[in-house]
Amino acid sequence: MSWCEGVKEPRVLVAPDPGSSGNGLARTILLRHPKSGNATQYLFVNGVLQELQWFKNLYGSWFLGDYITEDGRLYLSTPIDPVFIMLPVFDEARMKKGDEPGKFRQLDEILFIDRFPDYQQLFSTVENCMQVVCDVKEVGSSKFFRLDDSKVLRWLCYKVYQLKETLLKLDKNYAVQGEKETLMDAVSILGEYLKDEPWLKLLCNHLKLNILEVNGKAHTSVDGTNSSHLCNDIQERSDEKKVSNAIAKKGGRQAKKIKMETESHNIKDMFTRATRKKS
């Protein structure tokens, strides 16, 4: 039996080996993206949350054993701080009204989210990491959490300055530009994981930055790269199929045929066909 038999669209993913360290557990989980709220796939490997991104040159394919796959993208999993993912969840859970701080909630209540049961797999991870941005009360053996705006702002500022220092070390070009420009670049990168209201606006006001300029930098960055989430890519393909089926049902004519990805082909078969044609 071939290694890729039954696999419709093989892909190349660079990710941590779950068996080399830790408990050897790795799985994909479906969560909401912290900025857009869209359903997005993440990897959960040995208790570490990883986001999925991809990169592709203009032309390229992969040779996988005796097979070639048309999808030449390189998929990468990189660690992401779970606090970014949980900020909108904990913000909604406290049910804040006006200037009131909101309510304390138990963690199992907070992580019970309709249509997203995978949040509950992060219970232990969230219990440890969210204490840095939450007020916590213990009643007997139970813990109650409530997001605290001042702690969130302090944590965000730490992330900004940490990223700012990293940018200066990674790229010498940052050394020749102004400190405010570098600061704005750092905030715009973090802004890809933050809702404008309240967190990005709160952060920009504190650092005396224009949120419109920060968002402008973020949009430029997104347009100039090939990184995205695997789930978004799969969703786009699903939407293409829906559009194609809808046009077929209505008897209409499609302006341009959508090119769908095909299955991988055996390289040996390709050379065999070429030999037959030559003879």
Side-chain angles (χ1 to χ4, degrees):
M1 179 178 175
S2 172
W3 66 271
C4 66
E5 187 172 334
V7 179
K8 291 184 178 181
E9 299 178 4
R11 290 182 169 91
V12 176
L13 170 65
V14 179
D17 182 0
S20 60
S21 62
N23 54 23
L25 296 177
R27 54 186 174 272
T28 58
I29 57 177
L30 193 65
L31 308 173
R32 294 188 307 194
H33 190 274
K35 187 175 185 71
S36 67
N38 295 334
T40 306
Q41 282 187 333
Y42 295 85
L43 274 182
F44 193 48
V45 184
N46 291 330
V48 178
L49 191 63
Q50 309 249 342
E51 64 175 336
L52 296 169
Q53 301 181 5
W54 61 263
F55 172 83
K56 184 185 180 183
N57 290 318
L58 186 59
Y59 300 102
S61 298
W62 286 105
F63 291 93
L64 305 175
D66 291 337
Y67 289 79
I68 182 171
T69 177
E70 293 183 17
D71 188 348
R73 281 165 288 196
L74 175 63
Y75 292 88
L76 304 170
S77 73
T78 55
I80 181 172
D81 194 325
V83 176
F84 284 110
I85 305 298
M86 293 299 160
L87 273 181
V89 175
F90 275 67
D91 188 29
E92 293 175 6
R94 61 179 171 171
M95 296 181 284
K96 182 179 178 181
K97 295 181 180 179
D99 295 330
E100 295 179 2
K103 299 180 179 180
F104 282 89
R105 304 282 298 279
Q106 283 187 283
L107 196 55
D108 54 354
E109 293 179 329
I110 296 173
L111 296 181
F112 184 80
I113 301 174
D114 189 33
R115 297 186 295 111
F116 291 91
D118 288 341
Y119 275 97
Q120 299 187 37
Q121 297 186 40
L122 304 176
F123 189 97
S124 298
T125 302
V126 172
E127 184 177 23
N128 294 327
C129 73
M130 289 304 291
Q131 297 191 42
V132 72
V133 292
C134 288
D135 294 325
V136 182
K137 285 186 177 180
E138 294 190 33
V139 180
S141 59
S142 300
K143 286 185 179 181
F144 296 81
F145 292 78
R146 183 181 67 191
L147 200 63
D148 183 274
D149 289 358
S150 61
K151 289 184 178 181
V152 173
L153 180 59
R154 190 159 53 245
W155 176 81
L156 287 173
C157 289
Y158 169 76
K159 288 291 185 182
V160 168
Y161 287 107
Q162 189 181 47
L163 180 56
K164 179 172 168 283
E165 292 301 313
T166 302
L167 290 176
L168 292 172
K169 293 177 182 178
L170 289 178
D171 193 339
K172 294 180 180 179
N173 292 328
Y174 284 105
V176 299
Q177 71 176 18
E179 184 176 346
K180 185 177 180 180
E181 279 293 313
T182 306
L183 182 64
M184 192 176 296
D185 285 333
V187 174
S188 70
I189 292 173
L190 293 184
E192 296 179 16
Y193 302 92
L194 300 171
K195 289 182 179 292
D196 287 0
E197 292 282 354
W199 309 121
L200 188 56
K201 183 178 179 180
L202 182 68
L203 181 61
C204 287
N205 288 342
H206 179 75
L207 298 175
K208 296 179 173 56
L209 297 175
N210 188 319
I211 189 172
L212 296 178
E213 292 181 4
V214 169
N215 279 330
K217 275 185 171 289
H219 293 153
T220 301
S221 175
V222 169
D223 293 339
T225 63
N226 289 324
S227 62
S228 182
H229 293 281
L230 177 59
C231 182
N232 295 344
D233 174 50
I234 295 174
Q235 184 62 44
E236 286 173 5
R237 296 184 184 279
S238 176
D239 292 341
E240 287 176 352
K241 291 179 182 178
K242 290 178 182 178
V243 171
S244 181
N245 291 338
I247 293 173
K249 288 180 181 179
K250 292 181 180 180
R253 190 172 181 180
Q254 195 169 347
K256 185 177 180 180
K257 186 178 180 180
I258 298 173
K259 184 179 178 181
M260 303 305 295
E261 216 171 68
T262 58
E263 296 182 8
S264 298
H265 303 287
N266 192 310
I267 296 175
K268 292 180 180 178
D269 293 341
M270 293 168 65
F271 284 110
T272 302
R273 289 196 296 270
T275 304
R276 288 175 181 171
K277 289 180 180 179
K278 186 175 182 182
S279 60

